[in-house]
Amino acid sequence: MTLTPTVLVNCRNYLAGADLTAFENKLELSASVTDEEVTTFNSGGWKERVGGLKEFGCNADFFWQAADNSMPDDTFWGQLGTATVPFTAIPATGAVGDLAYVSRVLDAEYKQGAPIGKVLSGSAQLKGNWPLGRGLVLHPNGTARTSTANGTAVLVGATLATQALYVTLHVFSVSGTSSPTITVAIQSDDNSGFTSAATVGTFTAATAIGGQTMRVAGAITDTYLRASWTISGTNPSFLFAVAAAVAPL
Amino acid sequence: MDFQAMADGLAAAVLAVDGIRSCPWLTDKIDPPPGGGFFVVGELEISYDETFHRGLDSVMVTCRLYTSRADERTGWATLRALQAGSGPRSLKAAIETDRTLGGACKTLIVRRVKGDGLYQAAGVDYFGARYDVQVWGAG
């Protein structure tokens, strides 16, 4: 085995309708399990433990900017106290198939400030409000979509009856006239050619910057997933990202 | 960030101060007008990757201000006047009037002036000082 270290200069963090990547310079994801002791006289003189409740959190440091829901101040302040904020963290460039951590979070803390002459900065603390899923990117940010189409097939794996498929949708920009609208569905199949696609779930139609989450209880025997989108309006254009993960129900 | 465009922007910004000539690169062809100064955009110290995904770089630009030594009292007085933090003869104020330098960067701050003293360029002595200008721009 050889080590290939990762110098973290490229990672993506999506929160609601904001791609915070170019504003952030620190992102820390932590997951933990409570330590529940079950030592008995039969334990042979050694402590015994089981894992109890799990939780996760995310701390982010960023440079401050405000304007609209694509900006960190609007996002962290606007979502403060909201416990269902769509959350995706990707320790890579965010291309289709990249590893992605998926969940929804409570926007629990937001700090901002700087000494005189320094760049105004902020930090935020997010706390998990769902299982943290370790999955894959189904649709990347940065590719504008202007018409109805299907995305790339991604091998995510099956979802057992004791699990659920967790999916996040982040819509980063919307343009066009005559009410531009995008409806994103998640399709599954047992083959990468999607010869017999089934719809796993469909997000609410989006007409503005924002985010959504979806949880679909297993079992889902298909192992391939893809994002499929329907776009309407005049000269519509959308930037969005989708990520999916399998985690305990 | 286009570093030459940034340097051009700094050299252009100081021209708003009466009696200033400038050069957007390190030069020894120094030519301060009588009672004025010559501003040179010099070395860059670039810090890449201030945010993820090449979102932001920062640059510490070392600039130099030269005044004539032909008349020592006038030369020093001019240097001191141009070092003001505000007012019509302030280089700091002139540079910070448009912190984006016409779109060449995202923001900047003139942090400090230091190194007051005698400088020599092409065999000629001048009074001078060094400016530290911190600039942030797209990665």
Side-chain angles (χ1 to χ4, degrees):
Chain A
M1 299 296 290
T2 56
L3 168 66
T4 303
T6 298
V7 177
L8 193 65
V9 294
N10 273 338
C11 76
R12 298 282 199 177
N13 179 215
Y14 307 144
L15 196 68
D19 179 352
L20 299 169
T21 301
F23 303 95
E24 292 178 338
N25 53 22
K26 180 180 175 183
L27 191 67
E28 183 181 72
L29 196 61
S30 62
S32 62
V33 177
T34 58
D35 172 6
E36 301 295 345
E37 190 177 337
V38 291
T39 308
T40 68
F41 292 119
N42 263 0
S43 298
W46 291 86
K47 288 190 177 181
E48 292 191 272
R49 294 183 168 84
V50 295
L53 291 177
K54 301 181 181 67
E55 67 173 338
F56 85 91
C58 179
N59 295 326
D61 292 348
F62 51 88
F63 290 115
W64 185 97
Q65 191 163 344
D68 54 43
N69 288 338
S70 70
M71 295 291 168
D73 182 68
D74 302 71
T75 299
F76 287 117
W77 179 257
Q79 300 288 349
L80 194 62
T82 300
T84 56
V85 186
F87 168 87
T88 304
I90 305 166
T93 62
V96 172
D98 276 352
L99 174 65
Y101 293 91
V102 171
S103 191
R104 70 180 189 185
V105 296
L106 164 68
D107 184 355
E109 186 178 283
Y110 173 39
K111 295 181 181 178
Q112 55 170 296
I116 185 170
K118 300 298 184 183
V119 178
L120 183 55
S121 302
S123 64
Q125 202 175 96
L126 308 171
K127 295 183 184 293
N129 194 26
W130 256 358
L132 180 63
R134 185 175 183 273
L136 300 170
V137 175
L138 299 186
H139 186 274
N141 186 20
T143 302
R145 300 298 186 188
T146 59
S147 60
T148 297
N150 297 317
T152 305
V154 178
L155 181 60
V156 174
T159 304
L160 303 175
T162 56
Q163 298 174 319
L165 183 67
Y166 295 82
V167 191
T168 53
L169 166 66
H170 306 275
V171 177
F172 304 114
S173 82
V174 178
S175 67
T177 58
S178 304
S179 302
T181 304
I182 184 170
T183 305
V184 178
I186 305 301
Q187 295 179 339
S188 71
D189 208 330
D190 60 4
N191 65 89
S192 62
F194 270 77
T195 55
S196 54
T199 298
V200 173
T202 304
F203 290 102
T204 301
T207 59
I209 294 172
Q212 300 181 46
T213 54
M214 178 195 306
R215 176 164 66 179
V216 181
I220 303 172
T221 57
D222 288 339
T223 56
Y224 287 90
L225 297 177
R226 71 180 180 188
S228 175
W229 52 91
T230 303
I231 289 176
S232 63
T234 302
N235 297 318
S237 183
F238 297 86
L239 289 174
F240 65 97
V242 180
V246 176
L249 183 60
Chain B
M1 179 167 40
D2 181 336
F3 296 118
Q4 190 56 55
M6 180 269 299
D8 290 343
L10 285 173
V14 296
L15 297 179
V17 176
D18 189 38
I20 291 292
R21 297 178 184 146
S22 66
C23 179
W25 57 79
L26 205 54
T27 180
D28 64 353
K29 298 179 176 57
I30 309 300
D31 182 27
F38 195 88
F39 186 87
V40 174
V41 181
E43 301 92 333
L44 307 185
E45 182 177 322
I46 303 168
S47 296
Y48 297 113
D49 301 314
E50 295 281 11
T51 66
F52 293 124
H53 211 69
R54 298 291 301 123
L56 190 73
D57 292 337
S58 72
V59 186
M60 186 63 81
V61 187
T62 300
C63 304
R64 290 173 175 74
L65 173 66
Y66 299 96
T67 60
S68 172
R69 200 190 164 197
D71 180 304
E72 289 194 348
R73 178 184 290 276
T74 301
W76 275 115
T78 301
L79 191 71
R80 293 281 179 261
L82 294 169
Q83 290 172 342
S86 60
R89 297 221 76 194
S90 166
L91 292 184
K92 174 179 166 67
I95 291 170
E96 293 179 353
T97 296
D98 175 9
R99 291 180 186 265
T100 71
L101 299 176
C105 65
K106 289 183 177 286
T107 192
L108 60 80
I109 185 170
V110 180
R111 287 227 176 268
R112 67 184 65 83
V113 182
K114 61 187 180 186
D116 287 9
L118 289 171
Y119 288 79
Q120 193 176 86
V124 179
D125 289 339
Y126 301 91
F127 299 124
R130 296 202 306 274
Y131 280 72
D132 286 345
V133 182
Q134 190 159 14
V135 183
W136 289 268

